[in-house]
Amino acid sequence: MRIKICGITKSAQGNEIIKLGATALGFICVERSPRYITPLQIKAIIDDLPSLVDTIGVFANAKASEIIETVKITGITGVQLHGAESPQFCQQLKKQLPQEIELIKAFRVKTPESLTETTTYTEYVDTLLLDAYHPQMLGGTGQTLNWLDLQQFQPSLPWMLAGGLNPQNVTEALSQLKPDGIDLSSGIERSPGDKDLSKVTQLFQTLTN
Ligand SMILES: O=C(O)c1ccccc1N[C@@H]1O[C@H](COP(=O)(O)O)[C@@H](O)[C@H]1O
């Protein structure tokens, strides 16, 4: 299972988190987020990481040109779209990105019906991600989804579960759902962008038991 730890802002923490077992690190490219870091800061962190790690830039309603420029500057291996990007935007962006760049579309699930929207994207992206809906915040909310409502979600693409996961609730989430990956941010932090390595250690201990 893929394990993505998102909202990395510090090189040393990113490296420790990879050693603990994460398969992917996420970097927030949304300026209004307290976890935002610049493309040059992302590049500096990635340059210091082992090469086989997935590195995902998280965007929300950004222009395609900004995303493509960020991919070039940073060397990220994937792009996560966390806003209201349309299927057509994803289709166009996918055509413009280098073939090897993973395109992830995130959905902030408000009602079980929100899940049906995902089917209109499956032709144009590589991976789906489900996050909790919050009226003011785009992500990193710490709010969980109603996992029971997701049990019927069996998309044709790999999918990742996000939204308020932490060392205490991840086992319960994975007993109800079988995502291809999980994505955590605020549940393993001291403060936004500052990961708590003891919580990350606890997470991986829980996952390996
Ligand atoms: O983390 C942020 O600040 C953020 C800002 C804008 C878009 C997405 C963001 N984070 C995403 O939120 C989920 C995890 O949230 P949490 O575990 O509930 O804190 C993850 O997909 C991040 O990429």
Side-chain angles (χ1 to χ4, degrees):
M1 186 176 63
R2 298 177 77 183
I3 303 170
K4 169 168 167 268
I5 302 294
C6 208
I8 299 296
T9 62
K10 298 170 198 296
S11 177
Q13 289 186 353
N15 271 294
E16 281 305 314
I17 288 168
I18 292 302
K19 280 189 206 141
L20 287 168
T23 65
L25 298 181
F27 304 95
I28 304 296
C29 305
V30 180
E31 282 191 36
R32 70 184 229 217
S33 166
R35 301 177 184 86
Y36 172 75
I37 55 172
T38 66
L40 286 177
Q41 288 171 313
I42 297 172
K43 178 183 166 33
I45 296 175
I46 291 178
D47 284 351
D48 200 28
L49 288 174
S51 57
L52 285 176
V53 173
D54 294 335
T55 49
I56 311 293
V58 179
F59 299 83
N61 306 321
K63 288 187 182 150
S65 55
E66 183 200 326
I67 297 171
I68 291 161
E69 188 61 17
T70 304
V71 169
K72 279 190 195 145
I73 294 172
T74 59
I76 51 177
T77 64
V79 167
Q80 177 176 323
L81 301 176
H82 218 94
E85 298 86 1
S86 66
Q88 291 68 35
F89 179 87
C90 296
Q91 182 182 28
Q92 289 306 315
L93 180 65
K94 184 76 184 154
K95 280 188 198 157
Q96 294 172 72
L97 285 170
Q99 212 187 344
E100 66 277 11
I101 300 293
E102 179 184 13
L103 187 55
I104 303 172
K105 179 70 187 91
F107 298 85
R108 298 181 299 128
V109 180
K110 196 173 180 183
T111 64
E113 290 70 46
S114 311
L115 297 177
T116 53
E117 192 199 349
T118 64
T119 56
T120 58
Y121 287 80
T122 49
E123 269 183 76
Y124 311 125
V125 303
D126 302 298
T127 307
L128 306 174
L129 183 148
L130 301 184
D131 191 11
Y133 176 81
H134 185 287
Q136 278 89 39
M137 291 166 75
L138 284 168
T141 67
Q143 291 198 350
T144 50
L145 285 149
N146 184 340
W147 301 319
L148 274 182
D149 285 348
L150 304 184
Q151 282 183 339
Q152 305 310 316
F153 185 63
Q154 284 171 359
S156 54
L157 291 179
W159 72 283
M160 301 186 74
L161 177 67
L165 295 173
N166 60 45
Q168 281 71 43
N169 67 13
V170 70
T171 307
E172 175 62 21
L174 294 177
S175 71
Q176 295 187 31
L177 298 170
K178 296 288 166 260
D180 299 282
I182 54 174
D183 182 11
L184 299 89
S185 184
S186 57
I188 37 99
E189 279 180 337
R190 273 190 288 260
S191 61
D194 184 16
K195 300 304 169 193
D196 183 333
L197 295 180
S198 65
K199 288 184 188 166
V200 183
T201 304
Q202 209 187 331
L203 171 76
F204 284 101
Q205 281 168 351
T206 304
L207 289 172
T208 48
N209 282 335

